[in-house]
Amino acid sequence: MAELPPKATPRPVERTLHGDTRVDPYAWLRVENWQEVMRNPDILDPEVRTHLEAENRHTEAFFAGKDLRPALFEELKGRIKEDDSSVPAPDGPWEYFARFEVGGQHPIHVRQKRGQADQAEVLLHGDREAEGHAYWNLGAVEHSPDHGLLGFAVDRKGSEYYSLCFRDLTHGKDLETVEDTSGDFVWANDSKTVLYTRLDENHRPSKVFRHVVGTDPAGDALVYEEPDPGFFVGVDKTESRAFLVIDAHDHVTSEVRLISADAPHEDPWVVRAREVGVEYDVHHDPSPSGQGRLLIRTNRDGAEDFKVVTAEVGEDTPWVDWVAHRPGHLISGLSVFARHVVRLEWTDALPSLVVTPLSDEPEHRIRFEEEAYALGLHGSYEFDTPILRFSYSSMTTPNRVFDYDMVARSRVLRKEQEVPSGHDPSRYVTRRLTATAEDGAEIPISLMHSKGLKMDGNRPVLLYGYGSYGLKMPASFSTSRLSLVNRGFVYAIAHVRGGMEKGYRWYTEGKADEKRNTFSDFAAAARRLIEAGYTREGRLAAHGGSAGGMLMGVIANEYPKLFGAIVAEVPFVDVLNTMSDATLPLTPPEWPEWGNPVEDESAYRTIRDYSPYENVAAQTYPAILATAGLTDPRVTYWEPAKWVARLREHKLGDAPLLLYTNMKAGHGGASGRFDRLEETALMQAFLLRVFGLEDEQ
């Protein structure tokens, strides 16, 4: 007889807000000492641990008999070049890159004398550093400007509390460590001073400190503290290496401070005081006389899709338009060089690169041919160079890294992603469809499938969605998708509102009081795939993670017949309770995105209406797999645990409902590159079993 699924004991807790009383039967799964658990998972309440482990055993039992996970893992691993390496990035006399060893889980950071590939020097061996740790994740790695020191950030729990470590590269000696940082740091030009950010008790990067290598971190000076609990702070450096940057922001407003990188002990000064709803980021062009000028990407003065302005170096100097605002052409990023500026733009859910000389020559756009594709700008250590490095891929074309000469307008392929087990792009088709939303909006859908696949309206389709924070979902290449596509799946991405693929308004029409557009857009994309003859109701699977997992929770409640299976990775499903609790990680900074249900009754009613946990009903649900990370500070483990418990209480029918909690990891899952594949294999084996495709190859 099959083992019965675990059931959490309801312990109702009543909460009343804005005259509305609701009952939370599983609030007890949130332990009061959650902050300590983030640092030390071993102290988790035994009752909660027992429940999570019982859920994990139930998930294991689901795969009893024909378990495809081991075979899928080997298949996924076989597509990864084990001894891979990045393209060396030049910086003065050195070239820096990362590589992996055969069987290695973590990157090895290396440098070599410029043009001398046979003289590589290992700076940081990730696999050796990770020995003895159940979880080990490397964050930022940066060498000092004089190449004598290495700074690197390490998370050893999955909770995103990073230890900032320093290493003397000349003598191979480890120096002091700074604890409880966000992993964000930047070197000053003296090659001994760094600025870094530290986390507060609610896991918010709120303070910037200055550390001098070789001194006791206890004496580090506070450079800036952000008083607004809804703002994050971060540090950076202009491409010109002239200024250190302190950026304070929430999801709609930003404020930037600069410090001379040559004088890091000076006080920072504000480029422009914050104005609610005004976002900007700052770059530096030193070419004009004096201190040069600032190049600023901003949405000020109604530039919804952003424009570029110039300003003199100084506090609150006038801004003058340089690249005008064009509605529908989102300027999503800038990269500044000594003689060129590169814009990354998005138009109708496709990216493009525009090169503008800092002379009187006309700008030009780099052209690409495929119907749907992804682009990425690679940073450059060197400022005075004509070479732009970027990456290109599509859903069928593996990632390619190019060096583009901005003067000659020519490109050189520096690296193409290798798929050791083999990949022939001509065997696959990538397409772009459009779905029509309830209000007439046109929703792009990127998809891929095997060439010659019989479109009989019965194909299984995996539809991915996110639609929050303005994040754009690129139509990029992924080796892991091939395991499903080769077995007859169609893989599709719904570019729903809440992202920024079609401009800033595409984002604002999918957030806060208009959040429901995200959900109905996703359903419209699913129906479009049915109309196009790819699939039918019940043969669709949906996949999303984090805020995309919240989308999964909503569609499970509201469109249960449309989908046959749902995979919700670390899903943000307890939206109302989380957004009503300012003591939780990241809640105040999230209010501009979701609304503040504590102070705004309208926001409360909106979230109450769709929050997945509150709206679980007595109905037949699709097969559901949810995942969690015990030390996840972004979507705390109890959100998916509570959601699954409530689903077990109310759902009808016998469709599988599984919860897998990684007891040794956080938001990003397992840290090693192969360990992560085990979680991918889990999700794919679940889908193949649900759709009866376990025997497909």
Side-chain angles (χ1 to χ4, degrees), residues 41-54 630 663:
D42 293 338
I43 66 172
L44 179 66
D45 179 273
E47 185 179 13
V48 174
R49 180 179 293 277
T50 296
H51 175 71
L52 297 179
E53 290 175 344
L630 181 59
M663 305 297 285

Side-chain angles (χ1 to χ4, degrees), residues 92 202 212 374 423 519 550 678:
N202 286 329
V212 178
H423 172 69
F519 318 138
M550 179 270 297
E678 293 183 354

